[in-house]
């Protein structure tokens, strides 16, 4: 099965690729330049990863009037989802990692 991947190249160029394999991004999809132009019009910042840092950055960027694009390959929260109990996090005496991740994700979506 061919995977469709959106990534940021090391030179900072956002591209959409088809046929990603280890060490080989494959060829850009036909029409991807139009897709890229539309993304650049809508998003000024691309955040790689929806961990706590990525989602926090999205919250502050959005509040500052900048519409970010978050690219995540898994579930929001990153390693938070592997932590059964977090104590003394600001605003919570005790909360599970997945619950904290979903609370932050909800805040990002609601902005």
């Amino acid at each position: 099965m061919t995977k469709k991947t959106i990534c940021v190249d090391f030179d900072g160029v956002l591209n959409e690729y088809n046929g990603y394999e280890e060490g080989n991004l494959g060829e850009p999809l036909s029409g991807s330049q139009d897709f890229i132009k539309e993304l650049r019009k809508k998003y000024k910042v691309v955040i790689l990863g929806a961990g706590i840092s990525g989602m926090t950055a999205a919250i502050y960027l959005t509040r500052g009037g900048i519409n970010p694009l978050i690219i995540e390959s898994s579930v929001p929260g990153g390693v938070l989802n592997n932590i059964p109990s977090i104590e003394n996090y600001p605003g919570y005496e005790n909360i599970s990692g997945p619950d904290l991740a979903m609370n932050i994700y909800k805040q990002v979506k609601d902005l």
Side-chain angles (χ1 to χ4, degrees):
M1 178 180 206
T2 301
K3 294 181 181 178
K4 180 177 171 184
T5 304
I6 299 172
C7 68
V8 177
D9 291 342
F10 289 111
D11 62 1
V13 177
L14 185 64
N15 269 308
E16 182 181 25
Y17 291 93
N18 201 8
Y20 174 80
E21 294 175 10
E22 186 82 26
N24 177 17
L25 288 175
E27 295 298 316
L29 294 173
S30 61
S32 67
Q33 292 307 313
D34 293 334
F35 172 77
I36 303 307
K37 287 177 187 173
E38 289 305 310
L39 277 180
R40 285 186 174 156
K41 286 179 190 175
K42 187 171 182 181
Y43 303 105
K44 300 298 180 199
V45 174
V46 176
I47 299 170
L48 301 179
I52 192 167
S53 296
M55 291 191 293
T56 301
I59 290 168
Y60 285 102
L61 285 164
T62 302
R63 287 182 177 165
I66 298 170
N67 191 18
L69 170 65
I70 301 175
I71 298 175
E72 172 59 57
S73 64
S74 187
V75 296
V79 296
L80 280 178
N81 291 298
N82 301 327
I83 302 172
S85 179
I86 299 171
E87 295 180 356
N88 297 320
Y89 188 82
Y92 302 97
E93 287 185 27
N94 190 312
I95 188 168
S96 75
D99 286 345
L100 179 58
M102 287 302 107
N103 288 348
I104 297 169
Y105 179 66
K106 182 182 180 316
Q107 186 175 354
V108 170
K109 285 186 63 171
D110 289 347
L111 289 176

